[in-house]
Amino acid sequence: MEGKGPLASDFDVILPDLAMGQRTPERAETKILEEACNIALSAANLKPEDLEYMLAGDLLSQIISSSFAARQITAPYLGLYGACSTAAESLILGAMLIDGGFADTVLAATSSHYQTAERQYRYPIELNIQRKVTAQVTVTGASAAILKSQGTGPRITCATVGRVIDLGIKDSSDMGSAMAPAAADTLFWHLSDTNTRPEDYDLVLTGDLGRVGTVMLGEVLKDKGIVLGPNYNDCGLMIFSQDQDVGAGGSGCACSGVVAMGHIYKSMLRGLIKKVLLISTGALFSPLSFQQGETIPGIAHALVIEQA
Amino acid sequence: MPLDEAELGRRQARYQEIVKQNKPRPPILRNFLLAFVVGGAICVIGQAVLEFFTARGLTVDEAAGPTLAVMIFLGALATGLGIYDDLGELSGAGAAVPITGFSNTIVAAAMDFKREGYVLGMGSKMFIIAGPVLVFGIVSAVLIGIIRMLAT
């Protein structure tokens, strides 16, 4: 479905189906992540043994997709969990490892899969259930980025690690609203730390707030005196087109992953945009915590990607 | 700076007000109409099956059993073909309420959990959605039965 969306031409591989010829959707997700890593390696002319670290995470319990993919990639591996914010989390940590002098070559990767997420967080795939207007669709895909201490491509120049913010949303079919306050908080602190305004970026991009969450973000930011202009967008809104039946938009680790590493990266290489503020958002709940009536805490990590 | 509980409570209340005001409303009229049309269509099929059996000499009471069996089979078939979840997405309760929907909950769960094995996967989890319906359906049937026994 993502392959029929407006950003399809910027993806390296469009999957023909969700199964990838695998026995289970979980295996399919691992396979997609492995492929993304291999494509990134060959694009950078690297072999797995050139990698000093692999940083990866996904949505499944015990992050099996990432760990199983790391089994094939064979690089020293650190598994991450930041729900749908993992794309930014892995890039930030990778950039910090390099900046701190601990590595020169790092792979940062993440994946999500519609069916594995449905199975873990919601209902059986074939169950007759109507998606609520606020609910989003998990993006099936994987993104992988090679970070290097040298080279000419876009660079990560600045990052703001977010705080966990919970304003009491309990509705797991409205994660945009649950995550919007975290995005607002991270954006606020990022702007005040770096003394910048939203207009200073060619693009301010949130991860997967979707149609509902972006509205809530605007409302919360109003209270903080920040107004987002036409240079604001959300990966969850960009990845699908309006006429695709996707509820309030896309979500999942791969949502901000494939939009940023696919579409945004290529737009930067083409020189269309130079400075992007990416804020990947995540909802830090589990099916268990939801059933026990706990609220849904949100997280958001911001990083600035610049093309000189 | 430690978390200030009272301040957090105020912020939560304010945010939930914002969310309530800005949340999109579900398209109720469209949902009602689609539920009526799809649910009605399933019932028409059920009626046709019933007519088929009564035309072959069964009484309406006798035909109810085989009709249900046929409808359960059709629901299971549509689930296996991957149609029934689309029907549910389109029409909500229109697809969920008829017995075909009940059949869908069991078959969908069975298909999903088959990957974890026939015993610990499918066998233990195929009633994960239908289970509560059965439990509370049977409990309320027993309760009503007791009331009826006492009242008559």
Side-chain angles (χ1 to χ4, degrees):
Chain A
M1 201 155 58
E2 295 77 9
K4 296 195 180 83
L7 306 184
S9 60
D10 282 339
F11 297 143
D12 290 317
V13 174
I14 308 258
L15 307 172
D17 60 26
L18 291 175
M20 294 286 288
Q22 301 294 312
R23 190 159 49 82
T24 67
E26 288 75 13
R27 277 181 162 233
E29 182 174 339
T30 301
K31 185 87 189 150
I32 298 169
L33 183 56
E34 276 171 36
E35 284 210 1
C37 293
N38 286 325
I39 291 167
L41 283 169
S42 58
N45 242 332
L46 293 172
K47 290 188 286 297
E49 51 269 33
D50 298 327
L51 294 172
E52 284 157 292
Y53 295 99
M54 169 176 176
L55 305 174
D58 58 89
L59 290 175
L60 300 188
S61 304
Q62 288 81 37
I63 52 170
I64 48 171
S65 312
S66 301
S67 303
F68 286 19
R71 185 170 65 181
Q72 299 295 325
I73 304 296
T74 66
Y77 161 72
L78 292 168
L80 307 174
Y81 184 80
C84 312
S85 71
T86 306
E89 187 179 356
S90 62
L91 289 171
I92 291 172
L93 286 169
M96 284 162 69
L97 283 173
I98 290 174
D99 203 31
F102 296 99
D104 289 311
T105 311
V106 176
L107 172 68
T110 188
S111 67
S112 57
H113 189 292
Y114 170 73
Q115 292 184 336
T116 62
E118 285 295 305
R119 293 191 68 194
Q120 175 168 311
Y121 288 101
R122 285 172 281 269
Y123 300 104
I125 296 154
E126 296 293 339
L127 188 70
N128 74 88
I129 195 105
Q130 198 164 35
R131 192 179 299 125
K132 291 193 186 165
V133 281
T134 53
Q136 296 165 244
V137 173
T138 306
V139 169
T140 303
S143 69
I146 306 277
L147 304 175
K148 295 189 70 172
S149 54
Q150 295 173 3
T152 50
R155 291 153 52 91
I156 298 170
T157 53
C158 179
T160 303
V161 173
R163 308 190 294 173
V164 175
I165 305 281
D166 186 343
L167 291 188
I169 299 297
K170 285 188 176 179
D171 183 358
S172 71
S173 61
D174 182 14
M175 292 199 282
S177 296
M179 299 186 293
D185 188 71
T186 302
L187 178 62
F188 174 77
W189 287 110
H190 178 82
L191 295 178
S192 39
D193 274 357
T194 55
N195 207 8
T196 52
R197 292 164 304 158
E199 306 87 87
D200 295 336
Y201 301 90
D202 296 329
L203 182 65
V204 176
L205 190 64
T206 47
D208 55 352
L209 294 180
R211 233 173 293 292
V212 182
T214 47
V215 174
M216 305 306 168
L217 175 67
E219 292 293 322
V220 177
L221 285 178
K222 228 190 268 174
D223 285 0
K224 295 178 190 279
I226 299 170
V227 179
L228 293 172
N231 64 338
Y232 169 71
N233 212 332
D234 181 74
C235 299
L237 296 179
M238 292 168 73
I239 190 156
F240 297 118
S241 61
Q242 293 274 358
D243 53 343
Q244 289 178 302
D245 181 21
V246 289
S251 68
C253 295
C255 186
S256 64
V258 300
V259 172
M261 298 305 107
H263 177 64
I264 301 302
Y265 176 74
K266 287 189 180 160
S267 303
M268 292 184 108
L269 289 184
R270 287 186 206 116
L272 298 174
I273 42 178
K274 287 198 171 329
K275 194 175 183 188
V276 175
L277 176 60
L278 172 69
I279 308 169
S280 287
T281 43
L284 301 174
F285 75 111
S286 81
L288 182 83
S289 73
F290 170 69
Q291 282 181 340
Q292 294 179 343
E294 301 287 342
T295 53
I296 303 172
I299 181 107
H301 300 302
L303 68 152
V304 180
I305 308 173
E306 280 182 82
Q307 169 76 341
Chain B
M1 179 174 62
L3 199 60
D4 177 350
E5 292 285 340
E7 168 62 18
L8 180 67
R10 276 194 295 280
R11 280 176 56 206
Q12 287 189 337
R14 159 133 181 78
Y15 183 62
Q16 276 163 30
E17 193 53 39
I18 291 176
V19 170
K20 215 164 114 189
Q21 277 168 11
N22 291 287
K23 218 174 192 169
R25 307 267 177 278
I28 290 177
L29 185 67
R30 173 192 167 277
N31 286 354
F32 268 131
L33 281 173
L34 281 169
F36 178 78
V37 170
V38 173
I42 293 172
C43 293
V44 168
I45 296 172
Q47 186 66 36
V49 175
L50 186 77
E51 300 286 339
F52 173 84
F53 285 119
T54 50
R56 271 154 190 74
L58 295 181
T59 66
V60 173
D61 279 350
E62 285 167 347
T67 304
L68 287 181
V70 169
M71 294 311 286
I72 288 169
F73 169 75
L74 289 178
L77 184 68
T79 305
L81 294 174
I83 302 167
Y84 212 85
D85 61 325
D86 298 331
L87 216 54
E89 176 64 52
L90 181 74
S91 68
V97 172
I99 199 161
T100 46
F102 187 68
S103 154
N104 165 266
T105 62
I106 297 169
V107 176
M111 285 167 68
D112 232 56
F113 291 105
K114 192 180 104 209
R115 302 178 183 100
E116 281 82 60
Y118 282 102
V119 177
L120 294 178
M122 192 182 89
S124 74
K125 292 197 173 140
M126 71 191 280
F127 291 99
I128 197 163
I129 310 286
V133 182
L134 294 174
V135 170
F136 294 111
I138 291 166
V139 168
S140 47
V142 169
L143 288 178
I144 300 291
I146 293 171
I147 293 171
R148 181 166 185 263
M149 195 178 70
L150 295 175
T152 54

